[in-house]
Amino acid sequence: PLQLADYSQTKHHYHPMSFGLSVGYNLTPRLTLTTGMVYTYASSDFTSSAAGDDIIETQRLHYIGVPLNLKYKVWGNNAIHTYAIGGITTDADKDHTQWSVGGAVGVQYNIIPRMGIYAEPGVRYYIDNKSSVETIFKEKKLNFNLQLGVRVEL
């Protein structure tokens, strides 16, 4: 009991990193339905301290997400364009499925016609998935993000 008197636990969630491959289907010249795959890496450190000793455990989570978004082209030409995007994403790992809703603004540079690289700063809200695993998505339900990737438009 005396050893537990100075026992403490802390946790630190690192900002997740995401990379994606996206495919879009043009509904109108300005409106595109997009989907694809997004890989997200999230890690956390959990530190237990007692009697001057620290034990650090690192948690590494890997998610594969399937987004469904609507993208609205704000401005652009054949090589570069800017847009706003919003939709839902479902991420699966070995635990429970993680749903989220979000929006972003982005810029895309077409390397060749209909294929480009993109950068999307955005915001995402994570819905509680009732999992017992402690993640940044539970602690900070609203997250700002930067997604980078390659997009093919059909």
Side-chain angles (χ1 to χ4, degrees), residues 57-83:
E57 295 180 68
T58 300
Q59 171 179 272
R60 294 177 181 91
L61 299 173
H62 305 272
Y63 294 90
I64 298 293
V66 180
L68 182 60
N69 296 306
L70 278 176
K71 180 177 90 167
Y72 182 78
K73 182 177 179 180
V74 176
W75 172 88
N77 56 36
N78 289 337
I80 192 166
H81 63 268
T82 60
Y83 56 90

Side-chain angles (χ1 to χ4, degrees), residues 24-49:
Y25 178 75
N26 294 326
L27 301 172
T28 70
R30 290 193 176 267
L31 195 60
T32 303
L33 180 66
T34 66
T35 189
M37 274 193 167
V38 177
Y39 166 77
T40 300
Y41 173 76
S43 67
S44 304
D45 287 336
F46 300 94
T47 304
S48 301
S49 300

Side-chain angles (χ1 to χ4, degrees), residues 107-129:
V107 62
Q108 179 172 321
Y109 176 74
N110 288 339
I111 303 165
I112 60 174
R114 300 193 174 271
M115 183 175 143
I117 55 174
Y118 67 90
E120 291 176 2
V123 64
R124 186 154 298 284
Y125 179 81
Y126 293 89
I127 300 165
D128 186 4
N129 68 352

Side-chain angles (χ1 to χ4, degrees), residues 92-106:
D93 72 352
K94 66 179 182 178
D95 194 31
H96 297 152
T97 300
Q98 178 67 63
W99 288 88
S100 62
V101 294
V105 294

